[in-house]
Every structure is written in structure tokens, then in C-alpha cells.
Amino acid sequence: MLFKEVYADLKLKIKQKNYLPGSNLPTETELQEYYQVSRTTIRRAIDQLVAENKVIRKKGSGLFVAPAISKQNILEMTGIIKQSVPELADMIKFKDSYLRLVGPYYADVFNIGANELLYFISFVINIKGQLTWEKLILPLEYFPDFDPTCLKIMSIIEAVNSGKLKPKNLFQDFQLIRATDEIGKQLCIQKQAPVFKITNLFSTKDSKIVAVEYRLQDALTTKYSIDFN
């Protein structure tokens, strides 16, 4: 019955937030070494946690603590522009993930000091061959424990909801722009090709911006619809 002891200990660690929602768990090999048990015992314990929706096993990426919330009940918004393709990504490839100074522009956006720090996370998602270049900007003050790898299993909305301040509203700006050299490189399209650029500003009920998301896609191959329901 060793697997029940491993299962109970991992479940307790998740409950006590030793492992945060959306974060990587140790690999099965690392867990085997830590608990000094067989691989079969570890897999039985993990299988139980997966069955209870406490852990997500993602092929090629590893084990993750399941998100604590669902994107369906976070924001009560209307008129949001939605992709007509599934959200599940075949592949996510991180381009950049680092901390930088806020600077004057984002100091004004987030209403924080210019010398504070921001997470700047850039990655490309491949959804059935269609590329999306995402950029997510988060103030360190609001997301002190943020782990970018959570984006392998979380939607942007779920990730933004994991910070200290909870978003209740979303302002969305939709533009048609021309691809720069960098955009063309990331999306594998020609410079000056048409690109959809969506900017999402997530804010609290007091209208405080807590996160900014930029989404860029090839306008010739991407379809969107507006859902007012």
C-alpha cells in the first residue's frame, strides 16, 4: 500500500501549495528517488491524482499541478473576439522569459513605479499548423510566484487569474497590421503580410490593469468570430 502513502503526501503538498497550481511536479524518476519506492508505486499514486483532477500528465512536457480554477467562470464578459479553432495547442515554444524594468509606458498602464519589475514572456503556439505569437506582460508585484511553464497547461485567462489581484473585466483591441521583420520571422510569413493583432487588458473590478496580453496571427489563414452571448 506504499502508493497510498505517496499519493497522500503529494496531495497534501499540493493542498498546502508546496506545489503551486499550474507548476511542474518533479518527474516520476525524481519522485521515485525522493520516496525511495518503485516506478510502479509512483505511477499508481500519480494516476490517482490525475483521476481526481489534482494533477495533469502532459505528454512531452511532464506532470503539472492542475489549475485551481476554470476559464469558463473567471470573467463575465461580452463581445469578446474568439478564434474559430480549438484552444488546445499541439506545441508551445518559449522564445523569451525574463524580468525587466517597467519603464514609463507600462508604469502608466499598470499605475506602478517605473523602477518596478515586469515579467515579459514570449512564446509561439502551434495549433494544427497555425502559428500564434503570444506576449504576456505581468507586474512582479502582482505575480511574485509566477512560473511561465504553467502556460503549457493553462490558458492565458487562467494564468492571469493566478496572481494576487483577480481580473473581472477585459478590454480588447483588435487591429489589422503589417508584419515587421520580427513578426514575419516568428509567424513564418513575409514581411508586410497582413497580421491580426489582439491586445487584451485584464483589469480588476476597480479598473486596475493587472496583465497585458498581445496575440499576433497571420490574417490570411486565421478566422475569428465575435460572440455576444
Side-chain angles (χ1 to χ4, degrees), residues 2-162:
L2 279 176
F3 89 92
K4 288 190 175 181
E5 296 177 20
V6 175
Y7 153 78
D9 189 62
L10 285 172
K11 186 174 181 179
L12 180 62
K13 283 181 167 64
I14 291 171
K15 181 178 180 181
Q16 294 178 337
K17 298 194 183 314
N18 292 46
Y19 301 120
L20 296 173
S23 66
N24 274 107
L25 279 175
T27 65
E28 289 186 357
T29 299
E30 290 169 338
L31 290 172
Q32 183 183 354
E33 293 176 356
Y34 177 79
Y35 288 106
Q36 291 295 295
V37 295
S38 70
R39 177 65 66 88
T40 300
T41 296
I42 293 298
R43 285 184 176 172
R44 288 187 68 187
I46 294 298
D47 286 345
Q48 183 68 31
L49 292 167
V50 169
E52 295 177 6
N53 296 316
K54 301 293 184 184
V55 168
I56 294 174
R57 182 187 279 114
K58 189 172 178 65
K59 186 177 181 181
S61 298
L63 303 170
F64 296 83
V65 180
I69 42 80
S70 169
K71 62 189 175 188
Q72 279 78 20
N73 59 17
I74 299 171
L75 303 176
E76 296 178 356
M77 302 175 294
T78 58
I80 301 305
I81 299 170
K82 297 181 178 179
Q83 282 183 271
S84 58
V85 295
E87 290 187 79
L88 293 179
D90 299 325
M91 181 180 69
I92 177 170
K93 183 176 181 181
F94 284 93
K95 298 294 182 177
D96 289 297
S97 179
Y98 57 85
L99 288 170
R100 50 166 277 191
L101 288 176
V102 172
Y105 176 77
Y106 286 110
D108 183 59
V109 170
F110 293 111
N111 193 27
I112 58 179
N115 291 322
E116 299 292 329
L117 293 175
L118 291 176
Y119 281 111
F120 182 90
I121 303 154
S122 170
F123 55 95
V124 173
I125 300 175
N126 185 332
I127 304 176
K128 295 185 177 180
Q130 181 175 304
L131 300 179
T132 301
W133 186 20
E134 293 265 7
K135 291 187 280 186
L136 183 61
I137 300 173
L138 307 169
L140 177 63
E141 178 184 351
Y142 305 154
F143 296 86
D145 301 312
F146 190 76
D147 179 1
T149 60
C150 75
L151 296 169
K152 291 182 179 180
I153 60 164
M154 282 184 171
S155 70
I156 293 291
I157 291 178
E158 289 170 320
V160 169
N161 199 67
S162 68

Side-chain angles (χ1 to χ4, degrees), residues 160-217:
V160 169
N161 199 67
S162 68
K164 288 183 175 181
L165 302 180
K166 305 303 180 184
K168 295 297 182 182
N169 298 292
L170 174 64
F171 172 78
Q172 190 170 69
D173 181 60
F174 187 87
Q175 295 176 294
L176 182 64
I177 64 173
R178 293 287 183 181
T180 62
D181 284 333
E182 182 63 14
I183 293 173
K185 177 182 177 182
Q186 299 297 342
L187 297 181
C188 299
I189 59 177
Q190 296 293 320
K191 182 180 178 182
Q192 295 297 309
V195 172
F196 286 138
K197 179 182 179 182
I198 294 181
T199 302
N200 290 323
L201 301 178
F202 297 87
S203 64
T204 66
K205 63 181 180 180
D206 299 322
S207 300
K208 187 173 185 60
I209 303 297
V210 300
V212 177
E213 173 199 8
Y214 300 105
R215 177 181 296 172
L216 299 109
Q217 293 177 305

